[in-house]
């Protein structure tokens, strides 16, 4: 009987320690590594960073007729010292989509992000933004298109 009581008390203490450990902050992931664009490649110094540099960040299509589908290719260069990887392009509207290279861009190489805009259902001044998400520093770069839809 004495062994059973000791066994039960031991289990209760162990359970209490495990439950209190679930609420401690030592189990949280350090989000600082998420913001480091080089951690995925294993770089930890400032010498090995890809740099995404667009020739221009804005393109004006001018006047359009409603319903036109138009595209513009934004040229960029990797001006850094490590391979550039574009992970995604996020548009502010469903009328705008972006196509981007899926392969690594070596330092010094160029590429294009092609932004397409569908003016169907649009009227007046339009300004659309695409955020290019990559392993560069900074990790998010914005490019924009604008048009006046008649």
């Amino acid at each position: 009987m004495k062994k059973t009581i000791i066994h039960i008390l031991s289990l209760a203490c162990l359970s209490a320690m495990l439950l209190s450990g679930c609420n401690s902050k030592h189990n949280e992931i350090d989000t600082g590594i998420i913001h480091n664009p080089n951690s995925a490649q294993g770089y930890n110094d400032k010498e090995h960073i890809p740099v995404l540099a667009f020739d221009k960040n804005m393109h004006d299509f001018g006047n359009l007729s409603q319903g036109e589908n138009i595209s513009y290719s934004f040229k960029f260069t990797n001006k850094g010292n490590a391979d550039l990887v574009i992970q995604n392009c996020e548009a502010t509207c469903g009328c705008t989509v972006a196509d981007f290279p899926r392969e690594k861009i070596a330092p010094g190489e160029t590429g294009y992000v092609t932004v397409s805009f569908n003016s169907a259902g649009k009227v007046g001044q339009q300004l659309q933004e695409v955020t290019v998400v990559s392993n560069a520093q900074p990790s998010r770069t914005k490019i924009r298109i604008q048009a006046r839809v008649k």
Side-chain angles (χ1 to χ4, degrees):
M1 176 91 159
K2 215 176 200 183
K3 269 187 167 179
T4 304
I5 293 173
I6 292 173
H7 187 63
I8 291 172
L9 287 174
S10 296
L11 285 174
C13 288
L14 180 61
S15 297
M17 288 189 318
L18 288 174
L19 289 174
S20 66
C22 291
N23 294 328
S24 69
K25 293 201 179 243
H26 75 279
N27 291 333
E28 292 179 9
I29 295 173
D30 177 15
T31 58
I33 64 169
I34 295 170
H35 300 293
N36 180 352
N38 300 314
S39 61
Q41 290 183 333
Y43 300 127
N44 60 6
D45 62 87
K46 298 295 182 190
E47 293 179 22
H48 295 98
I49 297 176
V51 176
L52 175 61
F54 282 95
D55 286 359
K56 68 181 201 175
N57 292 342
M58 167 72 91
H59 179 74
D60 187 348
F61 287 109
N63 294 322
L64 301 177
S65 297
Q66 190 178 57
E68 281 187 71
N69 290 309
I70 52 175
S71 297
Y72 180 78
S73 293
F74 288 88
K75 183 178 179 181
F76 67 85
T77 303
N78 177 3
K79 292 191 175 182
N81 296 320
D83 288 341
L84 171 70
V85 177
I86 297 177
Q87 297 160 341
N88 195 17
C89 288
E90 303 164 349
T92 55
C93 176
C95 62
T96 305
V97 294
D99 185 35
F100 57 94
R102 300 323 197 256
E103 65 277 350
K104 293 178 182 180
I105 308 297
E109 288 188 357
T110 61
Y112 293 89
V113 173
T114 301
V115 177
S116 300
F117 172 68
N118 183 351
S119 66
K122 303 291 183 185
V123 177
Q125 183 69 31
Q126 301 295 310
L127 177 63
Q128 302 298 326
E129 187 173 85
V130 173
T131 302
V132 181
V133 182
S134 70
N135 66 333
Q137 185 65 22
S139 63
R140 301 173 82 72
T141 305
K142 295 182 186 292
I143 52 179
R144 295 171 181 86
I145 58 167
Q146 67 178 9
R148 286 161 298 293
V149 182
K150 308 249 181 206

